Amino acid sequence: DAKTTQPPSMDCAEGRAANLPCNHSTISGNEYVYWYRQIHSQGPQYIIHGLKNNETNEMASLIITEDRKSSTLILPHATLRDTAVYYCIVRFNDYKLSFGAGTTVTVRA
Amino acid sequence: GAVVSQHPSRVICKSGTSVKIECRSLDFQATTMFWYRQFPKQSLMLMATSNEGSKATYEQGVEKDKFLINHASLTLSTLTVTSAHPEDSSFYICSARVPGVTPYGYTFGSGTRLTVV
């Protein structure tokens, strides 16, 4: 699986958009980009995934660059409950999810 | 839909005893489940993959005789930590592959906090 690089931490203000970057420069053509988050002492929660096109759901938007070497997860209106560790994962449509260090996002009032 | 129930949520056991953790898929059949371990302030580390009706596949460095995995039905996988020691204290999380979606979706249990004293 392609390796991902995320900033270790970031702060954002409640009510503002949070933009979480992820670099995956070695991604191959049929690898998907997944985002999960983990709130303290809970299991990971699926957020969104994409292959080439930008995606949006009720939780977030995923912007994938044209060369697919990086992506950005956008939380449009961050709330205090969005404080969590966010994981960007790149993988084939295979069967294993491998987690990196992720980005610890702290939403401040 | 696609809910995985993990039990117990926390357990304290004495050193040398065994502990069983259950992971159930409530509204779907899970042919493949995964077990992760997470130490404080660290990321999730995949321990093993269990397939219904066959032996689990363990990641490198994970002792199969210490972490017994059984996936006897399409809705239940269990992880037994045998002869637990304080260094086995950790947060254990199960996950199941959700069928019928492409690419594969994965749903996670809420985790089990194991403390060995």
Side-chain angles (χ1 to χ4, degrees):
Chain A
D1 290 345
K3 185 176 173 138
T4 61
T5 303
Q6 298 177 252
S9 63
M10 63 184 296
D11 286 1
C12 66
E14 188 179 23
R16 305 295 289 268
N19 296 311
L20 283 62
C22 179
N23 285 321
H24 31 79
S25 58
T26 59
I27 192 171
S28 64
N30 51 356
E31 285 187 298
Y32 290 84
V33 180
Y34 283 82
W35 283 84
Y36 280 78
R37 73 179 183 184
Q38 186 180 24
I39 295 170
H40 183 64
S41 292
Q42 296 183 23
Q45 176 190 23
Y46 167 82
I47 301 174
I48 200 167
H49 75 273
L51 182 62
K52 297 179 182 178
N53 299 321
N54 299 336
E55 302 288 344
T56 295
N57 63 20
E58 64 278 4
M59 289 182 69
S61 295
L62 174 60
I63 308 298
I64 303 174
T65 58
E66 194 168 339
D67 63 7
R68 303 208 326 123
K69 292 186 177 182
S70 66
S71 60
T72 301
L73 178 74
I74 301 173
L75 307 178
H77 305 285
T79 71
L80 298 178
R81 286 177 292 183
D82 291 324
T83 292
V85 179
Y86 287 76
Y87 297 99
C88 169
I89 301 168
V90 174
R91 54 173 290 284
F92 294 101
N93 183 28
D94 197 74
Y95 65 94
K96 291 197 283 189
L97 279 178
S98 296
F99 289 80
T103 296
T104 299
V105 173
T106 303
V107 180
R108 302 191 186 280
Chain B
V3 176
V4 167
S5 175
Q6 187 171 343
H7 180 81
S9 58
R10 57 179 65 235
V11 58
I12 300 173
C13 72
K14 291 186 177 181
S15 187
T17 62
S18 296
V19 173
K20 180 184 285 188
I21 302 169
E22 291 188 349
C23 183
R24 294 181 184 273
S25 57
L26 298 186
D27 49 4
F28 67 99
Q29 293 185 326
T31 56
T32 304
M33 288 188 173
F34 307 89
W35 288 94
Y36 294 82
R37 179 169 54 181
Q38 185 175 33
F39 293 108
K41 298 190 184 302
Q42 294 186 23
S43 187
L44 286 77
M45 187 172 65
L46 181 65
M47 299 174 66
T49 302
S50 74
N51 292 295
E52 187 266 336
S54 63
K55 288 185 177 181
T57 303
Y58 291 81
E59 296 298 305
Q60 192 171 9
V62 177
E63 301 174 60
K64 62 180 68 175
D65 293 332
K66 181 167 186 61
F67 299 99
L68 301 180
I69 293 172
N70 185 282
H71 193 161
S73 79
L74 287 171
T75 59
L76 175 64
S77 177
T78 60
L79 168 67
T80 302
V81 183
T82 63
S83 186
H85 292 287
E87 57 265 31
D88 299 321
S89 298
S90 188
F91 191 53
Y92 292 86
I93 307 167
C94 69
S95 172
R97 191 198 311 175
V98 180
V101 294
T102 302
Y104 290 128
Y106 298 82
T107 188
F108 288 80
S110 53
T112 297
R113 176 77 56 193
L114 170 63
T115 304
V116 184
V117 298

